[in-house]
Amino acid sequence: MFLFDYTIILLIPAIILTVYAQAKISGAYGRYSKMRSSSGATGADVARALLNENGLYDVQVEQVAGNLTDHYDPRTHVVRLSSGVYNSTSIAALAVAAHETGHAVQHADSYVPLKLRSAFVPVASFGSQAGPILILLGIFLQPVSFLLNIGIYVFAFAVLFQIVTLPVEYNASNRALAFLGDSGIIKDAEEMTGAKKMLSAAALTYVAAALTAILTLLRFVLIAQGRDD
Ligand SMILES: [Zn+2]
């Protein structure tokens, strides 16, 4: 991250995958945000229908400002969709709306990886901030190498969080695609391919983030070992 020793080459595959995933998602979004769904359903319609299908009448669907701000809030039981998704009938919008609603359905189902991920949130956000600081201090305060080791353990929780995010994201997308197909909201094969491409490109950005976290941790471990020798 901030160290320029030989271990920086470990990050090259992560950087390549991150750039590739970004290109994939902007390519898919560019194309499928212009493709209108033949059903005429909006993102908001899809979210409401998927919630009702699962008996989640108490979960609200709201509009939220900004771009890429779409999320499910488990504390207030609200699916929030950005205006561009809420009001749009594009294939991209339907895919995003169904995916975010998929998280609400996971929550209602007590889907284990989601519970695990939620439990990790506080410790992971601490770990991703404090970990690198402790590691840096450990490196510069030469005799205090235990700081370096503590930093590595703390940062490992942030890495674990990125890893447990993967099944949560893939599962939400699988639920989304099954619903879009089964409900008949997407009938056309080309539209279905578009929704799949949108969601798999989005999933790839999470894979890239997890790989970056894993390789960064590996760097820290190698740096710590180098100091012990
Ligand atoms: Zn998601």
Side-chain angles (χ1 to χ4, degrees):
M1 250 187 232
F2 32 67
L3 300 162
F4 294 95
D5 65 327
Y6 81 96
T7 63
I8 203 158
I9 56 167
L10 276 175
L11 294 183
I12 292 171
I15 293 165
I16 292 171
L17 187 62
T18 302
V19 171
Y20 177 74
Q22 288 301 330
K24 271 272 196 217
I25 189 89
S26 51
Y29 186 77
R31 183 162 175 202
Y32 298 110
S33 61
K34 291 186 198 89
M35 186 190 271
R36 301 288 138 209
S37 153
S38 48
S39 70
T42 63
D45 294 335
V46 164
R48 189 68 266 159
L50 177 50
L51 290 168
N52 291 355
E53 162 95 7
N54 287 277
L56 301 176
Y57 303 102
D58 59 323
V59 176
Q60 301 302 308
V61 182
E62 290 176 1
Q63 208 171 149
V64 65
N67 250 326
L68 303 172
T69 45
D70 310 82
H71 66 279
Y72 167 66
D73 183 344
R75 282 162 305 172
T76 54
H77 295 231
V78 176
V79 175
R80 296 202 182 88
L81 302 175
S82 59
S83 313
V85 168
Y86 190 96
N87 299 302
S88 171
T89 62
S90 75
I91 293 302
L94 302 195
V96 170
H99 172 93
E100 295 309 334
T101 312
H103 288 309
V105 178
Q106 286 175 333
H107 188 214
D109 279 1
S110 296
Y111 177 64
V112 172
L114 181 73
K115 284 179 130 177
L116 213 62
R117 186 179 182 274
S118 308
F120 267 125
V121 170
V123 66
S125 61
F126 171 75
S128 63
Q129 287 159 16
I133 294 169
L134 289 170
I135 289 163
L136 254 193
L137 284 175
I139 287 168
F140 290 115
L141 304 176
Q142 293 285 341
V144 216
S145 83
F146 86 97
L147 272 183
L148 183 57
N149 293 325
I150 290 173
I152 287 171
Y153 283 112
V154 168
F155 187 72
F157 279 101
V159 176
L160 224 61
F161 175 79
Q162 298 282 359
I163 293 169
V164 81
T165 294
L166 297 179
V168 176
E169 294 305 327
Y170 275 94
N171 177 269
S173 288
N174 289 339
R175 288 174 195 251
L177 292 170
F179 173 74
L180 289 170
D182 294 347
S183 64
I185 289 175
I186 293 186
K187 290 193 198 83
D188 180 80
E190 200 192 341
E191 292 182 12
M192 197 44 134
T193 305
K196 277 189 188 139
K197 282 189 177 170
M198 266 301 296
L199 295 180
S200 63
L204 200 58
T205 64
Y206 287 103
V207 174
L211 184 67
T212 305
I214 292 167
L215 294 177
T216 302
L217 179 64
L218 188 59
R219 275 193 80 195
F220 289 152
V221 170
L222 287 175
I223 290 167
Q225 277 183 346
R227 275 165 48 93
D228 289 344
D229 292 345

